[in-house]
Amino acid sequence: MTVAGDLPERRERRRGGWVTRLIANPRFQQWASGFPLTRGIARRDGAEIFDIVQGFVQSQVLSAIVELDLLHHLADGPEAPTVLARRAGMAEDRMAILLQAGAALGLFKRRRDGRFALARKGAAILGVPGLEAMIRHHSAFYADMADPVALLRGQGDTELARFWPYVFGAAAEMEPEVARRYSDLMAQSQGLVAQDVLRMVPFRESRHLLDIGGGSGAFLAAVAARYPDLRLSLFDLPEVIPAAQGRLTQAGLTGRLTLFPGSFRSDPLPEGADTISLIRVLYDHDDATVTALLAKVHAALPPGGRLIVAEPMAGGASPERAGDVYFAFYTMAMGTGRARSAARIAELCRAAGFADIRIPRSPRPFVTSALSCVKNG
Ligand SMILES: CC(C)=CCC/C(C)=C/CC/C(C)=C/C=C/C(C)=C/C=C/C=C(C)/C=C/C=C(C)/C=C/C=C(C)/C=C/CC(C)(C)O
Ligand SMILES: C[S@@+](CC[C@H](N)C(=O)[O-])C[C@H]1O[C@@H](n2cnc3c(N)ncnc32)[C@H](O)[C@@H]1O
């Protein structure tokens, strides 16, 4: 049917609409779930939808497992629900439910004798530096996600906004002890980030690397270990510098290193480095702050100097689970930043004067993606 004044896009939407209406029809669903050529798709879709529906229960089961230290207890060997229940101060039948849930999630293995052992994925969690601490701090994120519509509407304060005070320029009021705790959480999770950045970005041609927002220096330490001739500089808020000094001194890097306390909002960036890195920095900030920071980075680099940006990124034209679900809502709850796609970061870098933009394929987008670009010579 053609309707006078009908817009082509409206016609296209209606054409697409019949497929949607068919799939949303319970009678079609019943038929498709039995018909040999469609039942595989229907069942798979059903299971995947259910996984989304119960996602929050899965992560809360994981949270209980971490809170009760079950991964560590089972790392010593298989254990019976009775023993673990007594340890956790709960009824045996409740502990059995938790263990069974952990086994269903592939974290534990249920043995014939009724005891539970750690499965491969449960053991792997123990080996990921900082992952348990990250899971523990999710109590704040979980509280913010309790009313997702209120979060989307920007109503009310969020727990995560209080969790990372440095982002809000509250560093001046931050106790050194508190600053150390945040830096530790970031530093622990830096292990995997550094591994993946080093896989994606070669530093062979760099002579001097300045890591801006470098935290307690975990990234610099990892790069330094791989590139022994590289000079190192780190720029971060004054409260964070003592942690960097401690770590990098312990790593024996003082001879190759300069530490710069300061804020990239108000202070000039140090010059002299031919490579600057921004690791998990941009996604904490809004576009205006990022634009100003990239302009400062551009000014601080010599012609031909290189910028490396690494952080979890959104998928842009191809939506991506870690970037567009977890990190998009995480940064929304923090209130100041956003997860950006590599294409958007590239656009901001181009606007700051950078060229030769490269976006390597990330092996683990949930850990980090990366982008490099060059100041025109
Ligand atoms: C030996 C035999 C018999 C068989 C061997 C079989 C075999 C090859 C097994 C391999 C097992 C193995 C080694 C597995 C390894 C698994 C790994 C490395 C898993 C890693 C998982 C990492 C995860 C889940 C990382 C999660 C990271 C998160 C949640 C990060 C969150 C970061 C946040 C919130 C940052 C916030 C910063 C802010 C505030 C936005 O700036
Ligand atoms: C998410 S952490 C990332 C730390 C480290 N690059 C990493 O990946 O582990 C962000 C870092 O940016 C620093 N930062 C935030 N605002 C800053 C500012 N205005 N000037 C300098 N550093 C800042 C924080 O202190 C923190 O160390």
Side-chain angles (χ1 to χ4, degrees), residues 166 186 190 213-215 235-237 240 262-265 279-280 284-285:
Y166 66 80
M186 290 314 300
Q190 178 57 244
F235 179 93
D236 207 307
L237 295 168
V240 177
S263 167
F264 54 64
R265 291 179 192 277
I279 312 295
R280 300 195 292 184
D284 278 345
H285 302 284

Side-chain angles (χ1 to χ4, degrees), residues 284-306:
D284 278 345
H285 302 284
D286 61 20
D287 280 2
T289 307
V290 169
T291 300
L293 173 56
L294 291 176
K296 273 191 176 180
V297 168
H298 188 266
L301 280 170
R306 193 160 60 122

